[in-house]
Amino acid sequence: MDLSLSDEQKQLQESAERFAREKYTFENRRKIAATERGWLTENWAQFAELGWLGMAFSEEDGGYGGGPIETMIVMEQFGKGLVLEPFLPTVVLGGGMIARAGSADQKAALLAPMIEGKKQFAFAWLERQSRYNLADVSLKATKEGNGWSLSGHKGVVYNAASADEIIVLARTAGSAREPKGLTLFVVDAKAKGLSRRDYPTQDALRASELTFDKVSVGADAVLGKVDEAFPVVEEAVDRAIVALCAEATGCMDAINAATLEYIKTRKQFGVPIGKFQVLQHRMVDCFTNAQEARSMTLMASLKIDDKDPTVRAKAASGAKVQIGKSGKFCGQSAVQMHGGMGVTDELSVSHYFKRLTMIDLMFGNQQHHLTRYSNLAMAA
Amino acid sequence: MDLSLSDEQKQLQESAERFAREKYTFENRRKIAATERGWLTENWAQFAELGWLGMAFSEEDGGYGGGPIETMIVMEQFGKGLVLEPFLPTVVLGGGMIARAGSADQKAALLAPMIEGKKQFAFAWLERQSRYNLADVSLKATKEGNGWSLSGHKGVVYNAASADEIIVLARTAGSAREPKGLTLFVVDAKAKGLSRRDYPTQDALRASELTFDKVSVGADAVLGKVDEAFPVVEEAVDRAIVALCAEATGCMDAINAATLEYIKTRKQFGVPIGKFQVLQHRMVDCFTNAQEARSMTLMASLKIDDKDPTVRAKAASGAKVQIGKSGKFCGQSAVQMHGGMGVTDELSVSHYFKRLTMIDLMFGNQQHHLTRYSNLAMAA
Amino acid sequence: MNLTLNPEHQTFADEVRAFVRDNLSPATREKTFSGKHYDRDDHIVWQKALGRKGWLAYTWPKKYGGPGWDVTQRFLFENVLAEEGAPRILPFGPKMVGPVIYTFGTEAQKERFLPGIRSSEVSWCQGYSEPGAGSDLANLRTRAVREGDHYIVNGQKTWTSFAHWGDWIFCLVRTNTEAKPQEGISFLLIDMKTPGVTVRPIIMTDGAHHVNDVFLDNVKVPVENLIGKENEGWTCAKFLLANERLGIAEVPSSKRGVSMLRQIARIEPLDGGTLADDPAFTAQIADIDLQVQALEMSELRVLSTMAQGGAPGPEVSTLKVRGSEIQQRIAELTMEAVGEYAQPYQPGMLFHDTNETPIGPDHAPPAAPRYFNMRKTSIYGGSTEIQKNIVSKMVLGL
Amino acid sequence: MNLTLNPEHQTFADEVRAFVRDNLSPATREKTFSGKHYDRDDHIVWQKALGRKGWLAYTWPKKYGGPGWDVTQRFLFENVLAEEGAPRILPFGPKMVGPVIYTFGTEAQKERFLPGIRSSEVSWCQGYSEPGAGSDLANLRTRAVREGDHYIVNGQKTWTSFAHWGDWIFCLVRTNTEAKPQEGISFLLIDMKTPGVTVRPIIMTDGAHHVNDVFLDNVKVPVENLIGKENEGWTCAKFLLANERLGIAEVPSSKRGVSMLRQIARIEPLDGGTLADDPAFTAQIADIDLQVQALEMSELRVLSTMAQGGAPGPEVSTLKVRGSEIQQRIAELTMEAVGEYAQPYQPGMLFHDTNETPIGPDHAPPAAPRYFNMRKTSIYGGSTEIQKNIVSKMVLGL
């Protein structure tokens, strides 16, 4: 057992921390969010240059041989800064699935340029009826000559407007909600028949509704095996969940720090409100919650590479439960302790609160993952 | 709408309050609990004399024409005093089922003497496997000539050792857990083949395990209709639940009052601990919880006579949920604020805490009734 | 004791329901059930209709032009309005300043101000909070200095709801800087059109504009706009806060919220069925449903005491505390019911009449913004912490 | 970073497990899993076995006769002992006074006292709390007055766990009444057989006798029993409290509690199946299971800092807070799992060896008593409120 960071990891932490601190001041972030894309190409280029886009991939895949701990380190700092660049959809989800399931050709064509900062991805899995069930997919892909034709709808697809390729989860066989019979396709974002409705999300990210109207792709668009995508998707989403958990711990650190600072300075009744014991204890509970969130995220990051998918799933779901609980507690408490200021657009606290809230809703909320964990734990 | 007590009800409240205050001091109660029966015949005689044993029964049944509000008023004071006399099993459950389902002969033979203080009852419904499912009954009653023969086991039967008659819920038809096919029998507590193992409960009441080994009863032992007991039992238990809720509100008032007094006098760090804001707010939450418990109990008491069994069931379950939640909050908080003293046998606080805890476990705990309420509310 | 309605009350409830159905604009009603923000007209047109009927100032005694209803009638009126989707009555005129004026004002003031409040011809807003005086209201610094038959007012008010719609503002101002904090305060009515009054919007986290800063820069206010005696404004303030705390529990709209939540659960898809099939979720609805019932019954118990001549005591603070927790929890569960589709931010669907179709189900656009926005309920009108301090001191004697 | 064990640690864990299986009395083990109270022999016989092996004082450095284990070994040792059903090591000797003696004591004191602690030949108890000094420990009043080469001690200690089994008691006593509260306190070791020491049982709400009042009436204590300097006992007290807080989270026994709870859910009947079929209940087990994991990982993070030379800071207070909440919640869920059969009070099944069959299932008798009893965990060793005060002040600077 060893829970200490290596020197390289410490350096990575420092540079990610510096990036978030310098490039994501409150005012900077507001400006970035207001740009057309909603993120900056110069920042993305910097990620590539610093090696962050390839750090978690094996050297044979063109990466730098790191893993979930490196992802955790960077995502945590992204959380502190509320960074808007599409690292999660492109690198963790898109890159992760290609590395796991892609052919050598696909890796060369997609992963290598992604690591260089030249390709971005989006992952289209959700449909109106899916809620948090990854297998509840009805967008259909049917054989069409050598290739396939995709028709149907996908919703809340993060980064679809900026992505070069959309990785689409489609039903190629089986009945509704059957895990078997799902296939992943890599679809050119500009493909004919693919239309988008773009919008910002509550937390200033960008997503889209996608409509596929007989979108034709070749046989080489299939990522992994036909009908066998489910385990790939489940693993990728578990990894994304753990990365989100790391981002959330960063958000919690930042929102707790802001609140602590606020209650030390804001005066009412002639004293800083941090002199009131009820706020003191609530602040302690916030820090305890963040500590637990960090612990569970670290544990999940250390277990997510486990060969046993049950270990991996329990670790991811367990961490997501904790993040949901802690994020809600820290977010709601921060708003309350900030008083009226906490519900305005004018302080960072409401922005962290919104991000923490949205993270809970992504890929299954606290309740969903508690049930998933519970079922796995009782089956053991 | 009218939520004020009548003059008669106010008098009832006063006399019940006086009884609990005078006869159930901490030391008195300890002595009563240590007697063989665990309650005092002189107190029971006083109940009869004051008319409490008959107050909730109609005049044609020999009672005094009151109802659930009268029961609520008395039970609340019993809660304040942690009164040990078996009012709930005898009057609310036994008397209630006889009044609802009994023949004229049974009422004359059982209810009239009960009102005079000359008969006590116990209600045997639970079995080892039942948990909170009133229909999960496997004790069998089989036809035997004109009468019946009962064999099987009943558990945690309150007041069985003092009761003159045991009202037994038995299966006469149908399969396990089927509501149809249940029958109530009035069985002489000294019947041949009926054996008891007596014990005190956590909260100083008395209960027993009963074994029925071919206990013979006549046809006239059937209370109500053969195979049709379930609705009678469900209603009786809903009424018992509401009475328990009233008792619990009394417990909460008492434990809150004791805690408030304690934190006003106990000093640490040179001031009464009630000067610490965290304890102040917790104390406020205790009072709010007790207020809500009182509100839900009152509402349930006002709705329990409703003709619609769904209204009745929702009211009873709703109140039980609140009582479970509030009782736990007040009980745990009281112990915590009393510090070490709260976990000893030496102060009343631990005794109220134990009673509140046991009330939650009786006839279905908070979770059970939340599910029951939820199912009824979603079905509407 | 009983919870049943007598025939007169039953008839009354029917009459109210018929009135709402005949007078509430369908577009406004639709906004209630779709969770859209109201604009000024939604409120004012409806309030004027109530005003014409004599029902806007429904808590007032007959003497001052109110309907003189009993407690049950008030209860029914509020519930029917909420059930039928009426916007809440903006409290600043009829619930706040009106009772202060008829309780503490002169005859001339009553004649001048009450009619416009009853009819909703004049809109009011509340100038209490200041940047340095939120929970600690007695610390306010806005100064009013007497010059002849005017006060000259300087200072800043904040969190002023609907100041951008207001014709008049009632303010707490400091008229004596040497007295103890609570003793040098006066209650002053200020015409928003007076030179020197400036309103600056504060944008909430969901993008909404409800509240404002109000800057008062050498604002000249006639002395006859003072309510009660100079330096005795704290009495009015306390009276008003106690009144505010009761209605602020918002039970009728929470009841509507619970029933909308059940509806949403019956629509939201889950594994081929709906969310209504998920016992873990429906148990959470049941739990909040029961909390609403407990709160309503607690409120009824207070009203019943009042009906017998008692006054609402500081214990109503706990109703406000629970009421805000409940509103927040309903908003939270509603957002969770929507799931991933709560993520798109759709200001067009929140603030404007639009023909766009929403992203996700119809109930999705307001779900998350409402959750964010509802956090304010445990802050405004005296935060939860302040309410508990009050109960601790005034009720428990700690 | 990794959570895997190297082969040496794996071997170590196997060795510990084999030792427990060979040396722990089956009757004692059985009490652990049936929830019975241990008697004195259950503890002492087992602790002596550990002592012979050199493992009782397992946190001590080699220099003082400890095994000198690394952090991973300590972690494994504690977990294996809990999994195998060993009673917790009574902390008063090996975890409390032992480290105080080897840190602050003279060479003579180390030689005299440490061997008996390491071997469990001598049982210790803790004389900290007093009737007027619970949370406010610095307010203690037990006086020690120097007379020649003795102190004469007068006063009362309370909540003294296992004083009725104790050979020695370590006490905080006031040696200077004129200094500031914390500055006039000394740390004194007292032989319980000294005339004037009287022990009075305090009976807990479940009927158990664990704690006591200890009356000290003109007790003559040799000066050489003073640890550290006179009037500097507060240093020892703080050192000891910080040590205590870490282990007090009781993670290994909570892990065992969760797994026993799952077992009980698989046995307890429900509607023809078992409680394990009820998702509402199993979700609550999952929730507490995850809380235990978070706590364990937080503890490992602290241990990892310590392994790199850091000291456990006041933030370990939060581990104690959560640890107590978790123990309480497990006890609560276990009682709820038992349902109506938690109601019979069965002291025979709790305290004595008996051939009676329990009422209800085997796991029923201790369920409710344990729930009542566990409320103490958020009170002793510094209540939750005190711990949060500490963190607020020392960590957050509030």
Side-chain angles (χ1 to χ4, degrees), chain D residues 114-178:
Chain D
L114 296 184
I117 296 173
R118 284 197 308 263
S119 65
S120 203
E121 288 297 328
V122 179
S123 291
W124 286 81
C125 58
Q126 177 186 34
Y128 269 37
S129 294
E130 299 183 5
S135 292
D136 182 12
L137 198 53
N139 191 38
L140 61 89
R141 287 178 192 176
T142 295
R143 282 280 281 135
V145 179
R146 177 87 179 252
E147 287 193 4
D149 53 1
H150 283 80
Y151 289 104
I152 306 299
V153 183
N154 278 288
Q156 183 192 342
K157 294 293 176 181
T158 191
W159 308 124
T160 310
S161 297
F162 303 114
H164 52 307
W165 297 348
D167 301 307
W168 281 76
I169 183 168
F170 56 94
C171 284
L172 291 179
V173 295
R174 186 162 300 287
T175 38
N176 181 347
T177 51
E178 274 146 45

Side-chain angles (χ1 to χ4, degrees), chain D residues 15 19 56 93 115 164 169 195 217 246 277 286 320 335 376 379:
Chain D
E15 188 194 351
F19 178 83
L56 180 59
H164 52 307
I169 183 168
D217 184 20
L246 190 57
D277 307 325
K320 195 266 174 179
M335 176 181 71
K376 73 185 178 193
I379 295 167

Side-chain angles (χ1 to χ4, degrees), chain B residues 92-142:
Chain B
V92 180
L93 281 162
M97 288 188 289
I98 294 163
R100 154 95 193 249
S103 64
D105 283 354
Q106 285 170 327
K107 288 183 186 178
L110 300 168
L111 200 53
M114 183 211 79
I115 290 172
E116 290 167 40
K118 291 178 183 153
K119 258 197 192 299
Q120 291 207 346
F121 306 125
F123 176 40
W125 66 275
L126 183 85
E127 300 176 9
R128 173 64 194 103
Q129 82 291 346
S130 309
R131 189 163 292 268
Y132 305 128
N133 184 344
L134 297 173
D136 196 343
V137 170
S138 63
L139 182 142
K140 255 204 141 64
T142 44

Side-chain angles (χ1 to χ4, degrees), chain B residues 207-238:
Chain B
S208 309
E209 300 297 288
L210 302 184
T211 305
F212 292 75
D213 183 16
K214 298 185 192 137
V215 175
S216 296
V217 296
D220 58 351
V222 173
L223 186 65
K225 291 184 191 146
V226 172
D227 292 348
E228 303 289 346
F230 188 74
V232 176
V233 170
E234 204 179 31
E235 180 184 330
V237 168
D238 277 341

Side-chain angles (χ1 to χ4, degrees), chain B residues 197-200 209, chain D residues 30 36 344-362 365:
Chain B
R197 181 176 171 189
D198 301 333
Y199 47 83
E209 300 297 288
Chain D
E30 160 61 19
K36 264 192 191 150
Y345 177 58
Q346 308 183 57
M349 305 301 302
L350 292 178
F351 303 116
H352 309 299
D353 292 321
T354 168
N355 289 324
E356 266 182 82
T357 49
I359 293 151
D362 289 349

Side-chain angles (χ1 to χ4, degrees), chain C residues 62-77:
Chain C
K62 277 200 163 146
K63 191 172 166 191
Y64 300 117
W69 286 339
D70 65 23
V71 161
T72 306
Q73 285 172 305
R74 282 190 208 179
F75 171 81
L76 291 170
F77 179 74

